[in-house]
Amino acid sequence: MMALWTGQDIAAATGGTLHGSFDADGVAFDSREVGPGDLFVALSGETTDGHRFIDGAVAQGAAGILTERPVDHPHVQVPDTAEALRALARASRARSSARIIGVTGSAGKTGTKEMLFEALDRSSMGGAHRSLKSYNNHVGVPLSLARMPRETKFGIFEMGMNHAGELADLTQLVRPDVAIVTTIAPAHVEFFPDEAAIARAKAEIFEGLVDGGTAVIPRDSPHYDLLRDAASKSGARIVSFGFHEDADVQAVEMIDRPPGSQVTAELGEITLSYRIAQPGRHIVANSLAVLAAVDAVGGDLAAAGLALAELPGLPGRGQRHVLPHAGGELLLIDESYNANPASMRAAIAGLADLRSRRTIAVLGAMKELGEKSAGYHADIAPLLAQADVDETIFVGPEFENLVEKLAGGLEGPARFAHCGTASEAITLLRARIKGGEAVLVKGSNSVGLSRLVSAFVDGDS
């Protein structure tokens, strides 16, 4: 197989100057993630300078360096390494014959991306590529593109944003054949006047569609018309998905089959019955978007159905852990990576399906909600009551107003406690567990509830 990038390729793509000769089989900008044969991109950030870690990257096996300064290793020197990485991404997209799918939305981006990867990788026998982790921003997207192997058949790229204009930029790099919007919800609402503005910002993904590209949009969304109109202006073929009777890809039946669901979906004249390994109506909706995209790129729908049945939850995004306890096995549901009002609603609703167990919700604050934060956090109380949650631990100062209302008699969880940090939540949860419970851990990543998950799963303090 050919190298991912030769030194000559990199110099030609970036307009840089090659010093020495090298081939690279990977690309990294975090020196801690550099592996043998990688190109290390020395990015200059606001808080750190990647040039400080060049020697360490070489010690870990970096084959060459993309740098703004001369170094004593094989390298390509450029005026701006961030712009050079973008240039490398554009070159990767230009040389690829892969069918490309871009994924955005207020929630479900990473899970949908992983579903798509598993579905298309299975049918192409290892020919799929996707962005790792949540590499969905102005650095992660070009990195993911630059890592795409030459022989890739299907590429899946997650794209995020928290300000208008960001997706318009990213989608011009990705140039998707298919662009998916999973859902619209009040995420990052601190930076937008209303939810419609969020929908308009998400719709920017359609601006990068290739000629004849397909827009996959949620038919159940109140912003469906806005998304449809934006996609139409970009000349896209529009495919809707959801539970709505007019959806092009429609769930006509959904049956709980713990821990997941059995779904019957219709795609035009095609009827497909499949299992999903993960629970929740929102997961079913995302699976419909996956089927629409797989069909649009000419993938194998049967293979997609098999992949959906086998894909477990992701760390921080629904992964389930069964843990031993003297009083009976615990079920810990790890949703610690992200939280907004829509995903919080879906996660709490999932506890209602576990009423055979005592349920505990450890809920971290939802960030970037601006002046509406108190109201969004207060809206959680009736959700907890509806799901019949036995006990809730609220983490973060954003919950202070809700806790005061609960103390004053507002309907909510049967029992509750409030603390300021993840460390305090660990202590509280340990004191409340009797054995046999289902424990939901959900919050924005910055709250740090992943430490709580590690404390129980790995025994970390």
Side-chain angles (χ1 to χ4, degrees), residues 130-141:
R130 91 288 207 186
S131 45
L132 297 178
K133 301 183 181 179
S134 287
Y135 281 171
N136 62 19
N137 64 7
H138 66 287
V139 176
V141 170

Side-chain angles (χ1 to χ4, degrees), residues 27 32 65 110 127 167 172 186 203 207 226-227 261 265 287 289 292 302 305 315 320 354 388-389 403 407 424 434:
V27 184
R32 296 166 296 184
I65 310 296
T110 301
L167 271 177
Q172 292 298 337
E207 297 174 16
L226 186 158
L227 294 170
S261 304
S287 76
R320 294 184 166 209
L354 299 169
D388 199 21
V389 175
V403 170
E424 295 174 70
K434 301 173 182 177

Side-chain angles (χ1 to χ4, degrees), residues 324-341:
H325 189 279
E329 287 184 332
L330 297 175
L331 172 62
L332 190 149
I333 305 166
D334 177 13
E335 290 267 8
S336 61
Y337 187 81
N338 201 4
N340 60 50

Side-chain angles (χ1 to χ4, degrees), residues 13 79 134 194 238 291 349 362 416:
S134 287
D194 53 34
I238 298 170
L291 296 180
V362 182
F416 64 91

Side-chain angles (χ1 to χ4, degrees), residues 27-67:
V27 184
F29 64 78
D30 186 334
S31 61
R32 296 166 296 184
E33 297 182 357
V34 170
D38 280 352
L39 170 71
F40 175 60
V41 183
L43 294 176
S44 299
E46 294 180 2
T47 58
T48 188
D49 185 351
H51 293 82
R52 294 170 45 207
F53 305 102
I54 287 175
D55 288 342
V58 172
Q60 289 183 214
I65 310 296
L66 189 59
T67 173

Side-chain angles (χ1 to χ4, degrees), residues 243-260:
F243 297 88
H244 195 284
E245 62 181 7
D246 293 331
D248 298 311
V249 181
Q250 180 188 155
V252 294
E253 186 176 44
M254 171 185 165
I255 302 172
D256 289 338
R257 291 281 189 265

Side-chain angles (χ1 to χ4, degrees), residues 305-317:
L306 292 173
L308 291 169
E310 297 175 2
L311 185 66
L314 304 172
R317 292 182 169 88

